[in-house]
Amino acid sequence: METTLKQEEFKKTCLYDEHVSMGAKMSPFGGFMMPIQYEGIIEEHKAVRSAAGMFDVSHMGEIFVEGADAEKFVNTVFTNDVTRMSRGRILYGMMLYPDAGTVDDLLVYRVSGENRFLLVVNAANTEKDFQWLKSNSGGFDVKITDASDDYGEIALQGPDSEKYIELLGLGDCLGLQFYTFTETEYDGQEIIVSRTGYTGEDGFELYASPEVIRALWKKLASAGVKPCGLGCRDTLRFEAGLPLYGHELGESISPAEAGLGMFVKFDKEIFIGRESLLARKQSGCSRKLVGVELEGMTAVPRAGCAVLKDGRVIGEVTTGYHSISLEKNLCMALVETPYTAEGTELCIQVRKKVFPGHVCKKRFYKTNYKKQ
């Protein structure tokens, strides 16, 4: 496990010194030493919901695919359909193993016509994804480059995000629609600004050189944007019902089980894992991801807790929290399909005690994305 490594063996993002100087609590995540919290998870979570917060997500991987067969290749390894994308669009989807297990979930940016794409992948999976792409590129005229060390990234999230984008002199980005991006300049240097988000709130992502990212972080901090750690990033994405690789998706968890079928385009001629995933869909998955609300405020479910029905284990919690925004004890869990209907009564075992609850929608919080 990565926590057995010495601190100096973990990578550091370009903002590491900023985090330390601001008193962040640092901890290993995805092979990096990352800020878990500054002022506190609750305060940071509420700041994003009510105003704005900024996250260092420079640990994420950036992989470019370019060449004459770039579109065809990406479409072969990606569940969504990039042939439908125009320049400036972003798609969410998965890369799958032949058995339909998930290699990773990722964002694909079409950065230059049909011949160049940016794949933004999970930090802990960057090297695995890079090798997976290379190993499946035979017969395609493509160049695959791991450019992760060339980029830092800040996620600016919250209802006041537009105000701070304008303060940065990036007012031309205010017209971006949800899941689009633009390539522009900041202080004479290239920067990519996108509008996706991982918190359930409106927001932007800023990709640039480490030097530019440090300058942007300092300017946002001086303007009063609250720095936020990965602790509240997880509580925010959980409330919005968004998956985290290693919890709601993984090598043994397919998109069908995770309820992400809308990001799988079976009308494509081929993509790796298509036939296995289609077979699972047609035969019916034996388990599915659901939301669960516990009764009362007694116990907080955590990942790995057993889900019970009439005393029998029927599943396992993937993520669980006391919701900061909703003040409820909630979790997402993979459970046997017969018990996935909303309202189904079941129990969660927390340590040695069992607590009653019921199945609910896994998007617990009403999201506030700007889609127009």
Side-chain angles (χ1 to χ4, degrees), residues 129-360:
D129 291 355
F130 180 58
Q131 296 302 328
W132 171 257
L133 290 165
K134 288 176 61 178
S135 69
N136 286 283
S137 64
F140 294 92
D141 180 7
V142 292
K143 177 183 177 183
I144 303 169
T145 306
D146 180 359
S148 304
D149 291 341
D150 299 331
Y151 286 88
E153 183 189 353
I154 295 171
L156 174 63
Q157 296 282 294
D160 290 348
S161 295
E162 284 191 342
K163 177 176 72 174
Y164 294 106
I165 285 293
E166 195 163 20
L167 179 145
L168 293 174
L170 297 170
D172 58 328
C173 300
L174 296 180
L176 286 173
Q177 299 298 303
F178 194 50
Y179 268 70
T180 67
F181 73 97
T182 187
E183 299 169 83
T184 184
E185 289 190 353
Y186 176 81
D187 198 23
Q189 297 193 55
E190 293 181 1
I191 179 172
I192 295 172
V193 181
S194 62
R195 197 170 203 162
T196 62
Y198 194 53
T199 63
E201 302 296 338
D202 184 27
F204 299 83
E205 297 77 42
L206 310 171
Y207 299 84
S209 69
E211 294 76 21
V212 170
I213 289 298
R214 283 191 288 267
L216 289 166
W217 182 272
K218 291 177 182 178
K219 189 165 184 177
L220 289 169
S222 66
V225 179
K226 187 177 288 294
C228 299
L230 296 185
C232 84
R233 187 166 171 83
D234 200 46
T235 59
L236 290 160
R237 71 88 192 168
F238 165 74
E239 289 182 347
L242 300 171
L244 175 64
Y245 188 89
H247 292 255
E248 288 74 41
L249 279 170
E251 294 183 4
S252 63
I253 305 173
S254 73
E257 293 167 312
L260 297 171
M262 66 181 294
F263 304 106
V264 178
K265 306 305 180 189
F266 285 111
D267 56 348
K268 296 198 304 182
E269 290 184 4
I270 188 172
F271 62 85
I272 296 173
R274 181 184 184 278
E275 299 310 316
S276 294
L277 189 60
L278 184 59
R280 291 193 193 192
K281 179 184 177 182
Q282 292 173 339
S283 63
C285 297
S286 62
R287 59 180 186 168
K288 291 184 179 179
L289 188 71
V290 298
V292 179
E293 179 180 340
L294 271 67
E295 296 178 11
M297 303 288 282
T298 307
V300 179
R302 299 299 188 192
C305 287
V307 181
L308 309 174
K309 180 66 175 179
D310 299 327
R312 184 176 70 85
V313 176
I314 60 165
E316 183 177 285
V317 172
T318 58
T319 303
Y321 281 109
H322 171 74
S323 169
I324 296 169
S325 301
L326 305 173
E327 296 188 349
K328 296 178 179 180
N329 289 341
L330 304 165
C331 67
M332 288 190 277
L334 275 169
V335 302
E336 294 177 8
T337 301
Y339 308 103
T340 57
E342 285 186 44
T344 301
E345 296 181 351
L346 38 71
C347 294
I348 306 291
Q349 183 173 336
V350 182
R351 292 179 288 277
K352 295 182 179 180
K353 295 184 178 181
V354 174
F355 300 89
H358 64 272
V359 175
C360 63

